[in-house]
Amino acid sequence: QSTNHRCNTEQTAKHEAAPKKDKPQTKSRMEQIFGFKKEDLTSWHSLVSLLNRPTDPASLGIFRCLFGLLMAIDITQERGLTHLDYKYLDGAPVCRFPLFNFLQPLPMDWMYLVYVVMFLGAFGIMLGCFYRLSCLMFISTYWYIFFLDKTTWNNHSYLYGLIGFQLTLMDGNRYWSVDGLRRPSIRNAHVPLWNYTVLRAQIFIVYFIAGIKKLDADWVEGYSMSYLAHHWLFDPFKLIFPVELVSLLVIHGGGLVLDLTAGYLLFFDATRPYAFLFVTYFHCMNSQLFSIGMFPYTMLATSALFCYPDWPRRFFARFPAFLRVVLPSTSPTTQPSTSCVYSETQATSTGRQETPSVSKTSKLRLKHKLGAIFTILYLIEQFFMPYSHFVTQGYNNLTNGLYGYSWDMMVHSRSHQHVKITYKDGKTGEIGYLNPGVFTQSRRWKDHGDMLKQYATCLSQLLPRYNISDPEIYFDIWVSINERFQQRIFDPRVDIVKADWSPFRPITWLMPLLVDLSPWRTKFQEIEGSLDNQTEIVFIADFPGLHLENFVSEDLGNTSIHLLQGKVNVEIVDQNKNYTLQVPAGAYHKVFTVSEEPSCYMYIYVNTTEAALQENFTKLFELQERVRNGTETEPLPPELQPLIAVDDDEGSEVNATDPIVRLFLKRQRRMKEVKKRREAGVLERLERFAVKKYYSIRRGFLMTAIALRNLAVGLPPLEQLTREVAFANMKEPPAEANQDERLKDEVGHGEL
């Protein structure tokens, strides 16, 4: 095997010592592949000795540094330091979704202090300075913020907390750390093998369980992430395959194979170079496809853990001598450590170079046994958690469990078509409707029964301020899971305020996912393919005995309902009479399911207002082209004169009296800006990215400084505080600052 690609697996001491060149190879086949012998697993004593076998601390130290750096950056980004005041809205009536209802955010200035403690903890981890204290500072505040808001939960945020917890128990400050400078006794000291075992096993679980979850039929058949095939990153594949095959083979097939095999490929010496290539490409693509912060870079940092633990020494030894003063140590000499278990006469080694033998007792201490127990119990727990939904049944919805610990990354895509919140005054019986999302900034409550219960309880406490007594709250929420029919999630007849909910019992007011109707998705594609570009379609499935109340905008002409399965009646609310399946615009209507089985139907409509607008735009564009090339001989009326104005000044406002002309010129400007951004060079894009991040991070630190000043010396006069916040809110130059807002409507999913 090549000495450049050898590996220490998560359960082995494969890197402890390389075979001596002056002796023949005597290792068994199992030891050559896995790094340990069968005898190492035959007794508790040998297993503890294996897990505490001395290992080079270099790779762990580099990972500790990278993880701390990435978390320090993450705190200002995904953790929300930059917009903390908008996130917690100090003093405002806001509905929150903590894991435990007694958890509440601190006053605003104190929340900034919490983030400061977390940031200092991450920074201390990076430097290896007061290492245990830094780890405790980081994980205590991190998990507090994590549990404070379930709406922000995701797999990688959960992973950050797990790694922070693991590092707290490990000897991560034995290499390239401030603690090593302060305490020579721990500098370059061995770490026990279980430090690497836990981290590598954790990353293996992330990949492998994610692959197991992708064996779901929706993923295998290509329905989970089909929209990604239209992203520009997959354009090279479209030169070979049609979009449908790019979605099925590249996105879904490639994602499944990579997740299932990445852990194994990183495990073995011969396949590791290919694994590095594939996972690097995969994570770099993810960083462009999704807004997932530091996760791709964190996963790239974990890949190096699978290499020999002395790889940093060999890597940094290639740098010029004058740089090694500030670079990690390249010396092969390592110190013995009480955290490890040594044989009676064992040569301490760092991969392939040895130091003189040291005599150590083989007696197992309590810390060695605790390290082994922790490793075993932790790995069992991590393999169990993704399949623990039979315990936490109250968190199961149309998909199982809280999205965070299951590693079912991107397996389910959702599309909401209809959300209605109805309240009823418990005393007067008055019925009214609430704007979906009132009193909250999150949208994830729509998909989770536990959050819906919290939201309804919060609304029942806030509505009495608006003279609504003892309110009853009803939700009618429709969603499509992985391109299925739009269907209800929760029973709209149940008052959620009084509804029963327990974390350990199934939600009784949860409607089942209509999986029997999944084969209809093939028919959907055929129907959509037969329509013209101006015709829209929505597929609906409803349960017997229920009805959909819907409103057709006056902009939508030729709206009709086509029955696919079952029986329905359509009633126009204002006229109180039944229609066949033709729905007039500008009126509420109800669609009753009157069959014994679920009804399936589809809305077909044309946005006549938009179609007319596009027709006018086409005529204006043709007129503008004729004026520019000189083929238009008739003089333009005053309202069309702006079409021939020279538009060199991109910062000027559109000046047109006719509203259609004004919209047309604004649309042209947006399209021009989109084209300019897409055709921008690498340096221009990097500059735009750097400027945006600078002002974002700048605001976070300035607002933090204001909050700490307030805690230390009290609030200043309101005028001063207003000026300080305005200074913190300073944005990049106007030409760039508002560009993203101007592009939103035009770009849409094309920039996803």
Side-chain angles (χ1 to χ4, degrees), residues 612-652:
L613 188 62
Q614 290 297 330
E615 183 179 355
N616 286 328
F617 282 176
T618 301
K619 293 179 180 178
L620 290 175
F621 179 76
E622 292 174 351
L623 176 61
Q624 188 182 56
E625 288 298 306
R626 291 198 302 271
V627 171
R628 288 177 176 175
N629 59 31
T631 59
E632 178 64 31
T633 57
E634 297 293 330
L636 296 182
E639 63 271 15
L640 298 181
Q641 289 293 330
L643 293 176
I644 61 175
V646 179
D647 194 21
D648 293 332
D649 185 4
E650 297 183 2
S652 63

Side-chain angles (χ1 to χ4, degrees), residues 270-322:
T271 57
R272 192 171 310 107
Y274 306 105
F276 282 162
L277 176 64
F278 293 139
V279 299
T280 300
Y281 181 70
F282 175 72
H283 291 303
C284 287
M285 288 189 70
N286 283 343
S287 69
Q288 299 299 310
L289 288 170
F290 309 109
S291 298
I292 49 178
M294 296 295 106
F295 178 58
Y297 312 107
T298 303
M299 292 302 291
L300 289 176
T302 63
S303 299
L305 286 169
F306 288 85
C307 295
Y308 271 98
D310 69 332
W311 72 263
R313 302 181 189 276
R314 292 177 282 114
F315 175 75
F316 290 110
R318 300 176 181 178
F319 284 75
F322 69 91

Side-chain angles (χ1 to χ4, degrees), residues 258-276:
L258 186 137
D259 279 338
L260 284 175
T261 61
Y264 295 102
L265 296 176
L266 288 168
F267 188 97
F268 297 105
D269 294 352
T271 57
R272 192 171 310 107
Y274 306 105
F276 282 162

